[in-house]
Amino acid sequence: MILMANKVSVDLPAEVFDAKTNVALIHQVVVAQQAAARQGTHKVKTRSEVSGTGTKPFRQKGTGRARQGSMIAPHMIGGGVVHGPTPRDYSKKVPKKMKAAALRGVLSDRARAGRVHVVDALVESTSTKAAKQALEGLGGRNRNWLVVIDRGDDAAALSTRNLPSVHTLYADQLNTYDVVVSDDLVFTQAGYDAFLAHAQGANKEEAK
């Protein structure tokens, strides 16, 4: 598959950009990624942890009211909470091969739809306006862009960080979720080379 974008012609290797798209696998990986992002620090106090007296609020008999044993019981105002959330780890274990296959699948889907672009460089120097115009020149407006750059491309990183419809990642950070939620994927030449080297290295590891 040959791709032309912004005067840059690159050969998209079929093992990365023309793989089978397994929707169920992509969904599983995205759910696991979202779960891993949860802090899991939610906490409520039980009746043993709330501040309050443990004495009987009023005598057992003679008041006409229902008997009560404590002011910190769950049904009392300011009392403890039963079956509430406690700190936990939401992360799910997903094998590296499944993550890599899901990423290849969603990249291939974008490539087949003509939604993958490669440019020599997004901007020559730091300029948010220039970065916005460059992206609009690739595919018009009202799109969510995922820009993949090399670690040393500070100009592109600074130019795109304030654009609300643009999310920028370094090549070694590219993941399934960010590709799924983006309409178009834009690689700089250096970012593309770095990603391809990483992806092909992972493929060799899987083949062992």
Side-chain angles (χ1 to χ4, degrees):
M1 184 187 303
I2 302 296
L3 182 66
M4 294 289 296
N6 199 24
K7 297 182 180 180
V8 173
S9 176
V10 296
D11 185 11
L12 297 180
E15 64 270 18
V16 179
F17 291 95
D18 195 19
K20 179 181 178 181
T21 300
N22 187 331
V23 177
L25 175 61
I26 294 171
H27 177 266
Q28 182 179 349
V29 172
V30 168
V31 169
Q33 189 172 341
Q34 290 178 313
R38 299 184 66 174
Q39 287 184 324
T41 55
H42 38 36
K43 176 71 172 69
V44 296
K45 291 184 178 181
T46 64
R47 64 184 299 168
S48 65
E49 297 170 323
V50 296
S51 177
T53 178
T55 59
K56 204 169 170 62
F58 46 81
R59 60 196 176 100
Q60 180 84 346
K61 295 179 177 296
T63 64
R65 299 179 61 186
R67 56 192 178 185
Q68 301 294 334
S70 172
M71 290 297 292
I72 58 176
H75 64 282
M76 303 296 283
I77 295 176
V81 178
V82 292
H83 307 304
T86 56
R88 56 170 290 192
D89 181 12
Y90 284 94
S91 62
K92 303 174 183 291
K93 291 184 178 180
V94 179
K96 290 182 180 180
K97 290 185 178 181
M98 291 177 62
K99 292 180 181 179
L103 180 57
R104 289 195 300 268
V106 72
L107 287 175
S108 299
D109 177 73
R110 292 293 185 270
R112 285 190 283 265
R115 296 284 188 163
V116 176
H117 313 275
V118 180
V119 297
D120 50 357
L122 192 64
V123 291
E124 294 181 357
S125 59
T126 303
S127 172
T128 300
K129 181 178 180 180
K132 182 179 180 181
Q133 291 176 344
L135 292 174
E136 290 178 352
L138 290 174
R141 303 181 180 179
N142 300 322
R143 290 187 180 181
N144 290 321
W145 298 92
L146 177 61
V147 178
V148 183
I149 62 177
D150 182 63
R151 280 283 176 182
D153 195 352
D154 293 334
L158 294 173
S159 299
T160 57
R161 64 179 179 179
N162 287 331
L163 294 174
S165 60
V166 179
H167 184 52
T168 304
L169 292 176
Y170 294 113
D172 56 355
Q173 294 177 325
L174 189 59
N175 60 85
T176 303
Y177 173 78
D178 285 316
V179 178
V180 167
V181 299
S182 301
D183 296 321
D184 284 67
L185 183 64
V186 179
F187 288 94
T188 62
Q189 183 67 65
Y192 174 77
D193 293 339
F195 167 72
L196 205 58
H198 177 75
Q200 291 178 338
N203 288 342
K204 291 180 181 179
E205 289 294 326
E206 290 183 21
K208 291 182 180 180

